[in-house]
Amino acid sequence: MVVLAKPPPALDQISLLRSPQPGDAASFFGVPAVDLSSPGAALAVVDACERFGFFKVVNHGVPTGVVDRLEAEAVRFFASPQAEKDACGPANPLGYGNKRIGRNGDMGWLEYLLLALDAGGHASSVSKASPVPSSSLRDAVNQYVTAVRGVATSVLEKVAEVLGVAPRDALSGMVTDAASDQVFRINHYPACPLLQRLPDACGVTGFGEHTDPQLVSVLRSNGTAGLQVALHDDGRWVPVPPDRDAFFVIVGDSLQALTNGRLKSVRHRVVANSLKPRVSMIYFAGPAPGQRMAPLPQLLGHGEQSLYRDFTWGDYKKAAYRSRLGDNRLDPFRIQ
Ligand code: GA4
């Protein structure tokens, strides 16, 4: 059987959105920054998770060399001939993807590599099922994800400590479990020439608005702006200034369900940049398929009812792959 490749999407199929203007009050939002090595880190993490579902981590202990090595490998991969990149795709769901996101018609101004990870002992590594273009990229990813998993587990231990969840590794252990479902994504958002020709145009969707499904995601980008988050209070979109030396932690739907909504996932998106390419790397810390996502009993106050019916990460994931990027994926599991 001959399968005809679909033609690449035209730019006008990638939606235009209005990005915040300098005059918007929300532009003055300061991203909360947590010094992970400070004694007050645990309280600061939970405060930021409750208020914004989002924060920046400094003094994270991940060596610069590990980050720079992966960025260099990623840049080399995205600069390689299209045929070599296509040989690692299409992303269904893993592998190289170009403009198409997921299976249900979402599009963005980016190309990417989506990889599944195996967890074992103290390390995470690219799973055999994921197509990787070179052994040098594979080695760089393995070193990076092992280091960044440490940031995710440290954040989750702090959440457990402050919320009074015992044992201390009740949440972080979901990520280090050998059966955990960890995913890693490297995105390349090329500079967008349309914006150069029409400087007053509203933003072009790099990656459409969504919440992340997992417990937490740990994002790092080069120095190019584009990430925006929606404030919990009023849904206003605010730009997140890039910081190549920091990581950004994003609360996902799983942590929202497990904490019965006390910590809330954050909607975020990426707007294309007119002049500079953006490269980001995101580690998604998901639990094992059989993990129950109902609120942890220790987090339900006396007489407090669960907001969610009993469901597993596997149930959520199955539904997620049928959803559009911008859908609210927790709603179907909510008790009315
Ligand atoms: C959003 C967060 C991660 O990038 C991701 C995405 C996944 C994909 O690209 O395959 C999904 C999206 C994400 C949620 C809904 C489904 C699945 C695209 C999509 C439309 C890797 C993930 O885990 O969920």
Side-chain angles (χ1 to χ4, degrees):
M1 188 179 73
V2 178
V3 180
L4 294 175
K6 290 197 186 118
L11 181 61
D12 58 10
Q13 284 176 266
I14 295 171
S15 62
L16 301 176
L17 46 83
R18 180 185 177 279
S19 38
Q21 306 300 303
D24 289 359
S27 298
F28 301 108
F29 158 78
V31 174
V34 177
D35 175 346
L36 217 52
S37 67
S38 76
L43 282 175
V45 161
V46 171
D47 182 59
C49 287
E50 286 183 334
R51 293 170 58 207
F52 304 105
F54 180 79
F55 60 96
K56 166 169 153 170
V57 170
V58 295
N59 284 331
H60 41 68
V62 177
T64 315
V66 172
V67 179
D68 290 348
R69 178 182 175 203
L70 180 58
E71 185 175 325
E73 284 291 339
V75 168
R76 198 197 326 265
F77 169 66
F78 289 121
S80 62
Q82 192 60 46
E84 278 176 33
K85 295 188 279 186
D86 287 340
C88 296
N92 189 20
L94 304 172
Y96 171 75
N98 193 357
K99 298 194 177 69
R100 294 175 198 286
I101 300 169
R103 302 166 176 165
N104 302 311
D106 290 291
M107 309 276 267
W109 185 254
L110 83 163
E111 56 178 343
Y112 59 88
L113 198 54
L114 194 50
L115 305 170
L117 305 176
D118 288 334
H122 292 293
S124 287
S125 55
V126 178
S127 80
K128 301 265 175 313
S130 293
V132 186
S134 68
S135 57
S136 55
L137 179 58
R138 179 186 291 272
D139 291 348
V141 170
N142 290 349
Q143 195 185 28
Y144 179 91
V145 293
T146 297
V148 169
R149 186 179 95 169
V151 174
T153 53
S154 163
V155 164
L156 291 170
E157 276 176 16
K158 289 174 172 44
V159 169
E161 181 191 321
V162 174
L163 298 190
V165 177
R168 198 166 164 251
D169 67 354
L171 294 168
S172 61
M174 293 180 192
V175 177
T176 50
D177 186 313
S180 69
D181 186 8
Q182 304 169 43
V183 187
F184 186 59
R185 161 165 228 142
I186 310 178
N187 293 322
H188 169 224
Y189 300 90
C192 184
L194 176 79
L195 292 173
Q196 284 159 26
R197 290 200 306 272
L198 301 168
D200 293 331
C202 49
V204 168
T205 305
F207 204 109
E209 67 172 279
H210 65 285
T211 57
D212 286 348
Q214 295 80 0
L215 293 155
V216 286
S217 317
V218 182
L219 178 148
R220 188 266 170 190
S221 77
N222 67 352
T224 303
L227 178 64
Q228 302 180 345
V229 295
L231 297 182
H232 282 159
D233 289 349
D234 54 13
R236 267 180 306 166
W237 287 100
V238 291
V240 176
D243 182 345
R244 40 178 304 120
D245 301 319
F247 292 103
F248 292 95
V249 174
I250 297 167
V251 171
D253 287 347
S254 300
L255 197 53
Q256 175 168 329
L258 286 163
T259 61
N260 209 28
R262 178 156 169 195
L263 308 191
K264 286 191 185 59
S265 59
V266 61
R267 290 185 87 73
H268 55 286
R269 66 186 185 188
V270 175
V271 179
N273 193 284
S274 63
L275 294 173
K276 294 194 298 174
R278 173 179 164 93
V279 176
S280 63
M281 314 150 177
I282 310 119
Y283 165 79
F284 299 96
Q291 175 65 48
R292 291 179 58 197
M293 307 299 297
L296 296 169
Q298 299 153 83
L299 288 180
L300 288 178
H302 189 65
E304 185 183 342
Q305 299 295 309
S306 169
L307 293 175
Y308 303 97
R309 62 184 168 80
D310 214 357
F311 65 106
T312 63
W313 169 248
D315 297 330
Y316 175 103
K317 208 176 164 187
K318 213 160 102 192
Y321 278 110
R322 289 196 298 264
S323 71
R324 294 292 300 260
L325 194 56
D327 288 348
N328 183 325
R329 280 172 282 280
L330 270 184
D331 259 1
F333 298 101
R334 230 185 136 105
I335 296 167
Q336 299 310 316

